[in-house]
């Protein structure tokens, strides 16, 4: 998932209230405490304020906008989409709600709704270059997808270039079906929604995901794989496929609050049975990052630093899996619900100090 909304919320709302119409300029911001809560990062409180306020003023599009925003931050995409649809149904000239509806629909994998909403937003805000560029990117992504063949099963919908990628598509499908059960068992989570998996050429992958050049795959609500160069070897393709599936299943269990090192660590640890590489990377590297510095994704790191970050996260996940055993799923749910990491560890009877000490020992800290 990209950067979540939530910063500068109030400034944005004040701007939109002023910009909407001369009449709106005199309006007060509805439920200011709700927006303040969003700005403070307390989306649950914001959601409850907007819900209460909507009972008193069920026709207010700004309240639906706030409710949709809060639901999105909470990872409740369906609720966010229905609140934002309501906002733009009541007030069709509401570019911010249309843009956010586009963003949530895109995150939920509904690119048609995303494009339709953003087209309307761009019409209403023709000078917003960021919106126009976003629309352009989504249109070209959609055009790429329309040119692809599709293999749809119960759990996975795989898009690939018919002909040249037929064998790859079949292989990816087999790997996913097998891994679904083993990873599901480890994480105690079996997503029921169909997951979209798209095979790209390396060039398409870079264009669409804007990932660093070292990335071979990504997950943002769908699994995207670059199958051109780096993943030509079947073994490395299988690893990346499983790696991204772990991200998808973790995100299904805990749509937010999972620190980067935990997401990447679990994905790297569960992607294969080969765990020697992380030791080798740590031995070669002079630096180790504290896990607390690895709470965001690794997309901003260069190739070498990213490798170290993956290696130490992988070792942390290995320690965690051994200590948590069958309670790993419960632990992830707790962290996903916003419980502090140490509290979630204690709840599954893992001493946080013991976890950190074992991790430190395995990466060679003294
Ligand atoms: Zn990853």
């Amino acid at each position: 998932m990209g950067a979540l909304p939530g910063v500068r919320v109030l400034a944005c709302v004040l701007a939109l209230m002023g910009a909407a119409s001369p009449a709106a300029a005199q309006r007060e911001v509805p439920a200011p405490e709700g927006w303040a809560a969003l700005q403070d990062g307390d989306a649950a409180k914001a959601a409850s304020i907007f819900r209460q306020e909507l009972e008193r003023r069920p026709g207010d599009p700004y309240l639906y906008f706030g409710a949709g925003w809060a639901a999105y931050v909470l990872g409740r995409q369906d609720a966010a989409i229905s609140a934002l649809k309501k906002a733009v149904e009541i007030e069709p000239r509401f570019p911010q709600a249309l843009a956010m509806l586009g963003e949530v629909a895109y995150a939920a994998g509904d690119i048609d709704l995303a494009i339709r909403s953003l087209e309307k937003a761009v019409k209403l805000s023709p000078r917003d270059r960021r919106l126009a560029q976003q629309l352009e990117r989504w249109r070209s992504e959609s055009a790429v997808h329309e040119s692809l063949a599709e293999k749809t099963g119960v759990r996975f919908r795989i898009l690939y270039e018919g002909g040249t990628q037929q064998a790859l598509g079949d292989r990816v499908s087999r790997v996913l079906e097998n891994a679904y059960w083993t990873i599901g068992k480890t994480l105690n989570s079996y997503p029921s929604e169909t997951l979209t998996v798209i095979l790209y050429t390396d060039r398409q992958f870079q264009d669409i995901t804007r990932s660093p050049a070292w990335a071979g795959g990504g997950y943002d609500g769908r699994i995207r794989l670059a199958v051109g160069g780096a993943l030509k070897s079947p073994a490395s393709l299988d690893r990346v496929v499983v790696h991204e599936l772990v991200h998808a299943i973790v995100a299904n269990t805990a749509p937010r609050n999972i620190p980067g090192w935990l997401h990447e660590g679990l994905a790297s640890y569960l992607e294969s049975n080969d765990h020697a590489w992380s030791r080798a990377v740590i031995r070669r590297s002079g630096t180790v990052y504290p896990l607390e510095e690895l709470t965001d994704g690794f997309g901003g790191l260069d190739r070498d630093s990213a490798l170290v970050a993956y290696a130490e996260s992988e070792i942390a996940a290995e320690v965690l899996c051994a200590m948590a055993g069958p309670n790993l799923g419960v632990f992830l749910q707790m962290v996903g619900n916003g419980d502090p990491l140490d509290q979630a560890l204690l709840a599954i009877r893992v001493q946080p100090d013991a976890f950190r000490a074992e991790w430190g020992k395995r990466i060679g800290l003294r």
Side-chain angles (χ1 to χ4, degrees):
M1 189 183 297
L4 277 176
V7 278
R8 294 172 52 219
V9 176
L10 201 55
C12 163
V13 172
L14 290 170
L16 83 89
M17 300 295 294
S21 69
Q26 272 109 56
R27 273 187 63 157
E28 289 188 359
V29 179
E33 331 78 72
W35 296 103
L38 264 183
Q39 195 165 31
D40 292 343
D42 192 345
K45 182 176 170 190
S48 115
I49 292 170
F50 289 127
R51 196 169 45 239
Q52 281 169 21
E53 205 61 26
L54 271 168
E55 275 171 23
R56 300 200 303 134
R57 286 187 285 175
D60 191 323
Y62 297 100
L63 291 174
Y64 279 109
F65 178 46
W69 193 323
Y72 182 35
V73 177
L74 288 169
R76 297 180 195 144
Q77 291 175 341
D78 289 350
I81 287 175
S82 69
L84 291 165
K85 275 184 173 167
K86 194 84 191 161
V88 300
E89 185 190 306
I90 299 170
E91 174 51 278
R93 299 179 60 78
F94 195 168
Q96 291 81 1
L98 284 161
M100 177 155 276
L101 177 56
E103 193 176 323
V104 185
Y106 181 83
D110 189 344
I111 198 163
D112 293 336
L113 175 60
I115 289 175
R116 277 202 312 277
S117 308
L118 207 56
E119 279 170 347
K120 291 178 192 157
V122 166
K123 259 199 195 125
L124 293 167
S125 305
R127 275 179 303 189
D128 190 329
R129 279 182 50 82
R130 201 187 54 84
L131 284 187
Q133 286 166 350
Q134 179 83 284
L135 178 60
E136 209 33 61
R137 274 200 303 276
W138 288 352
R139 279 181 176 152
S140 57
E141 177 177 337
S142 172
V144 168
H145 293 182
E146 266 164 28
S147 71
L148 298 177
E150 186 174 328
K151 182 184 174 87
T152 304
V154 181
R155 280 178 287 278
F156 302 102
R157 169 174 169 254
I158 301 173
L159 303 180
Y160 57 97
E161 243 157 51
T164 53
Q165 292 181 344
Q166 185 68 49
L168 277 174
D170 290 345
R171 183 177 184 101
V172 167
S173 166
R174 266 198 319 275
V175 171
L176 285 168
E177 291 291 345
N178 289 334
Y180 177 86
W181 296 105
T182 49
I183 304 296
K185 184 158 185 274
T186 306
L187 301 176
N188 197 19
S189 171
Y190 304 89
S192 56
E193 276 161 32
T194 306
L195 181 63
T196 298
V197 180
I198 310 150
L199 275 54
Y200 296 106
T201 63
D202 291 353
R203 175 64 185 281
Q204 288 167 337
F205 180 77
Q206 293 291 330
D207 286 351
I208 289 171
T209 63
R210 290 178 294 160
S211 296
W214 47 260
Y219 172 74
D220 64 351
R222 327 127 176 85
I223 291 179
R224 303 177 194 270
L225 302 164
V227 294
L231 299 185
K232 275 207 178 101
S233 109
S236 56
L237 174 64
D238 294 357
R239 286 182 82 132
V240 175
V241 169
V242 179
H243 181 103
E244 301 306 335
L245 178 65
V246 175
H247 281 313
I249 297 183
V250 170
N252 188 268
T253 306
R256 60 197 200 109
N257 296 330
I258 301 295
W261 67 263
L262 185 51
H263 241 297
E264 294 303 346
L266 286 170
S268 305
Y269 177 59
L270 299 172
E271 73 187 23
S272 85
N273 292 323
D274 163 27
H275 305 303
W277 67 272
S278 52
R279 263 49 169 206
V281 168
I282 297 290
R283 263 199 311 276
R284 272 203 313 271
S285 152
T287 22
V288 170
Y289 307 101
L291 293 178
E292 289 73 25
E293 283 181 18
L294 298 176
T295 49
D296 297 329
F298 303 162
L301 301 175
D302 63 43
R303 181 185 278 266
D304 288 345
S305 312
L307 196 56
V308 176
Y310 278 107
E312 52 178 282
S313 301
E314 195 259 1
I315 294 172
E318 177 187 279
V319 175
L320 182 67
C321 286
M323 289 183 157
N327 294 324
L328 188 60
V330 178
F331 167 77
L332 289 175
Q333 271 173 21
M334 291 185 72
V335 178
N337 286 335
D339 288 326
L341 200 86
D342 285 5
Q343 198 174 310
L345 284 173
L346 286 169
I348 58 161
R349 294 202 201 90
V350 172
Q351 292 301 322
D353 288 348
F355 163 69
R356 286 194 181 83
E358 182 60 27
W359 173 74
K361 201 171 95 191
R362 291 193 198 187
I363 61 164
L365 289 183
R366 23 186 114 226

